[in-house]
Amino acid sequence: MPRLGVVFAVVALLGVAACGDDVESGTASISIESPVVVVPSGANTALYMTIVNDGDGADALTEVRSQVADEAQLHRTTEGDDGLTRMEPVDELEVEAGGSAVFEPGGLHVMLLGVDDLVAGDQVEIELVFAESGPIDVQAEVRAISDVVD
Amino acid sequence: MAPVTATVGSPLTRATIGQAIRWAVVEEELEMMRSKRALAALLAAITLAAGCTSGGDDSAADDEQAAGDGSVFEGVAFTEPVPKPDFTLTDTEGRPYDFAAETDGATTFLFFGYTFCPDICPVHLNQLGEILERPGAPVNVQVVFVSVDPDRDTPEVIRDFLDRFDSDFVGLTGTPEELAAAQEAAGLPVAFKETDDPDDEQYTVGHYAAVLAFAPNGLGYTQYPMGTKQTEYAHDLEILGELRTVDDVPAA
């Protein structure tokens, strides 16, 4: 089976070459700064944080999971031309190499739907799933809104 | 339950249309204010980066904003004072609440939102709650929250939500028609349920996101978009409280 062996070798080389390309285009290095969950005042609440990508490749946040909520959705609050402000779902949030994404009131946030009755000081496990870096677990502190905005 | 009416097709209609036009002008101002904020933040960042801390603090940025706005208010001032909207909805005890009559003579903050809103609504209400709890805060102030999500926000849900901020806050609801009329009376675009699916229980609602402020003389002078600071509310609260007759002029 020498021929097949050659094919395998070529495929293997191509594979390595492909990996080499990936390395050249850079690897993302994601860290999560100051993750905060606001004390819920109703059925839902928000998670704010800053995603920092210190790597030299882009990455994207694709999903957020948490045991303390029925569902977690990525949203951006935006004001439309009609004068109404709404939360637009964000399917995938790209964080470019060397860039960051700031989640803050009135902008990007993770909406936690059907959230548990959390109190200030609680620690909440959040799983952030990235396209390149995979799942990243963070511990967010539950804080009063007044600690989050002036 | 007592019959509840919202004023529709009343002599207010003309005024309402005029008001809507003025709000539109206000929208432009609001945009300018945002740009100014961004510029102030940028300048502050540059100042900090230069290792110079004087002048980079918030108060300097605020002063600049107030001056640039051309009004004594730190909120986004209306081009001219507007009458308090006339509408009657239902409060969280199930009683009819005539907005203009019930808030007569009080500094009044009016906000249209919904309790499932996680991002903007709790921020405004929390800020108002905090400034009103400060020692020496004026007592003749009423905060009125109108839920624009009648399907999910029952009176009980609204009450629980508001009690998180201040049990004195008034919560109102009504039929979709009554709520639409109330928003139109206030010159605002009518909130919109962002779903076509009747089984969707996790929908969001597009709504006007600024808080409207009326003085004890019954006139509205300013509004507070998302991003307003507590200090800005507190600053304007003092000025609004002094406007007891329609002839009073806002003074810093």
Side-chain angles (χ1 to χ4, degrees):
Chain A
M1 308 282 275
R3 268 196 187 176
L4 199 55
V6 169
V7 171
F8 274 130
V10 169
V11 169
L13 275 172
L14 280 174
V16 169
C19 284
D21 283 349
D22 274 350
V23 169
E24 268 173 33
S25 71
T27 309
S29 173
I30 297 290
S31 59
I32 310 299
E33 293 178 357
S34 343
V36 172
V37 171
V38 174
V39 174
S41 45
N44 306 330
T45 194
L47 161 73
Y48 302 109
M49 63 187 160
T50 298
I51 301 174
V52 178
N53 183 357
D54 282 328
D56 48 13
D59 207 340
L61 177 64
T62 57
E63 200 184 344
V64 182
R65 301 176 189 139
S66 179
Q67 297 288 334
V68 299
D70 295 341
E71 199 180 336
Q73 295 175 357
L74 204 50
H75 281 169
R76 190 194 305 272
T77 298
T78 50
E79 189 184 328
D81 294 337
D82 55 6
L84 298 177
T85 296
R86 42 176 65 84
M87 296 183 294
E88 288 179 351
V90 177
D91 286 340
E92 200 176 283
L93 180 76
E94 182 164 324
V95 187
E96 60 186 34
S100 61
V102 179
F103 288 57
E104 58 187 354
L108 279 170
H109 60 273
V110 175
M111 179 170 167
L112 299 173
L113 297 95
V115 70
D116 294 351
D117 200 7
L118 306 168
V119 296
D122 285 353
Q123 299 288 327
V124 173
E125 301 286 339
I126 307 279
E127 186 181 57
L128 305 168
V129 183
F130 288 86
E132 302 298 326
S133 305
I136 294 177
D137 291 325
V138 296
Q139 202 168 49
E141 187 176 347
V142 178
R143 298 178 69 174
I145 307 180
S146 44
D147 288 342
V148 180
V149 287
D150 289 337
Chain B
M1 191 186 290
V4 172
T5 55
T7 312
V8 198
S10 69
L12 255 188
T13 310
R14 281 176 73 97
T16 304
I17 294 166
Q19 215 166 308
I21 295 165
R22 284 195 289 274
W23 293 125
V25 175
V26 161
E27 277 300 308
E28 276 176 34
E29 274 187 32
L30 208 141
E31 201 49 51
M32 276 177 61
M33 186 174 169
R34 287 210 188 92
S35 327
K36 273 189 281 174
R37 280 220 172 103
L39 184 63
L42 183 65
L43 287 174
I46 291 169
T47 314
L48 282 175
C52 162
T53 50
S54 66
D57 60 357
D58 279 347
S59 60
D62 287 350
D63 287 346
E64 185 147 337
Q65 247 169 44
D69 203 33
S71 92
V72 299
F73 295 108
E74 292 194 354
V76 182
F78 302 145
T79 45
E80 57 180 287
V82 298
K84 205 176 249 184
D86 190 4
F87 61 81
T88 299
L89 293 167
T90 305
D91 71 12
T92 50
E93 302 299 313
R95 293 182 298 237
Y97 188 94
D98 179 334
F99 174 70
E102 297 272 3
T103 60
D104 188 36
T107 300
T108 307
F109 292 97
L110 174 64
F111 181 52
F112 293 86
Y114 64 114
T115 77
F116 285 68
C117 155
D119 187 41
I120 292 176
C121 311
V123 172
H124 279 312
L125 293 168
N126 178 70
Q127 288 177 318
L128 287 167
E130 296 239 325
I131 59 163
L132 295 177
E133 274 168 25
R134 287 182 188 174
V139 288
N140 186 29
V141 181
Q142 191 63 67
V143 175
V144 178
F145 171 82
V146 180
S147 166
V148 291
D149 185 11
D151 292 344
R152 291 182 300 191
D153 282 348
T154 63
E156 296 73 28
V157 168
I158 298 171
R159 189 70 264 154
D160 284 350
F161 176 69
L162 293 177
D163 285 349
R164 297 273 188 155
F165 309 104
D166 190 326
S167 54
D168 289 334
F169 286 2
V170 171
L172 301 180
T173 184
T175 66
E177 294 74 24
E178 289 167 346
L179 293 167
Q183 290 164 84
E184 282 165 358
L188 303 183
V190 176
F192 182 77
K193 187 172 164 177
E194 308 271 333
T195 182
D196 297 326
D197 179 1
D199 295 329
D200 180 3
E201 289 177 358
Q202 299 285 28
Y203 59 88
T204 62
V205 180
H207 63 107
Y208 194 74
V211 176
L212 313 182
F214 300 87
N217 64 10
L219 295 175
Y221 288 87
T222 178
Q223 64 177 339
Y224 301 90
M226 182 67 213
T228 299
K229 294 191 173 108
Q230 267 189 43
T231 51
E232 293 166 340
Y233 274 117
H235 171 270
D236 290 359
L237 190 58
E238 301 289 332
I239 301 172
L240 288 164
E242 296 300 320
L243 303 172
R244 297 192 182 88
T245 76
V246 291
D247 296 323
D248 289 338
V249 177

